[in-house]
């Protein structure tokens, strides 16, 4: 009722392989007392630990390259941010200058508006008067001006 083939019954796997010979178990040689000789170890495939170390080494190198690329990108971004900061300072200075100019213009507009308002009030007073003498004087002076102008033009 033993599920193993007859060559394996009562022996360990290693002993059975050493007993059958090198053709059936390459890389294993039977030694004294069933000992196994691993002298051709270099010819075999590397151990899983060696593969893991090379994997971690290559991953470490790729991560270092990625970090260098990220550092270069961050350095470029830093330069761009510094330039934007300088531009923002220049824009701020220009806005301050224009704000001062707008305030001066606003003061001039206020002065002009008060002068116009004062003149408008004086014209209202002049126009609202019912004194017909004012209108007669204005008409007479206008006629004199036209006559003088006509005389000057015809004299030449």
């Amino acid at each position: 009722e033993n599920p193993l083939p007859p060559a394996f019954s009562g022996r360990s796997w290693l002993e059975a392989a050493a007993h059958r010979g090198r053709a059936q178990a390459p890389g294993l040689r039977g030694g004294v007392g069933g000992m196994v000789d691993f002298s051709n170890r270099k010819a075999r495939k590397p151990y899983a630990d060696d593969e893991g170390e090379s994997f971690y080494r290559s991953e470490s190198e790729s991560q270092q390259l990625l970090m260098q690329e990220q550092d270069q990108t961050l350095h470029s971004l830093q330069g761009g941010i510094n330039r934007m900061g300088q531009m923002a300072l220049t824009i701020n200075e220009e806005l301050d200058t224009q704000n001062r100019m707008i305030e001066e213009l606003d003061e001039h507009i206020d002065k002009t508006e008060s002068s116009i308002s004062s003149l408008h009030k004086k014209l209202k007073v002049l126009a609202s008067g019912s004194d017909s003498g004012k209108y007669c004087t204005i008409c007479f002076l206008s006629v004199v001006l036209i006559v003088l102008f006509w005389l000057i033009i015809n004299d030449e």
Side-chain angles (χ1 to χ4, degrees), residues 145-156:
L145 181 64
I146 291 172
V147 170
L148 288 175
F149 187 69
W150 184 72
L151 289 173
I152 292 172
I153 291 177
N154 284 334
D155 239 358
E156 292 181 16

Side-chain angles (χ1 to χ4, degrees), residues 119-132 134-135 138:
L119 185 61
H120 188 259
K121 287 178 186 176
K122 288 179 183 178
L123 285 175
K124 254 187 182 178
V125 169
L126 181 64
S128 69
S130 60
D131 189 7
S132 59
K134 292 180 197 175
Y135 291 116
I138 292 173

Side-chain angles (χ1 to χ4, degrees), residues 50-68:
D50 292 340
E51 290 177 3
E53 285 179 22
S54 66
F55 171 75
Y56 288 124
R57 191 176 312 114
S58 68
E59 284 299 311
S60 175
E61 290 172 359
S62 66
Q63 285 179 359
Q64 287 176 353
L65 288 174
L66 181 63
M67 286 173 55
Q68 287 175 352

Side-chain angles (χ1 to χ4, degrees), residues 8-9 37 53 84 92 112:
F8 288 107
S9 53
D37 181 18
E53 285 179 22
M84 286 178 58
N92 188 33
T112 304

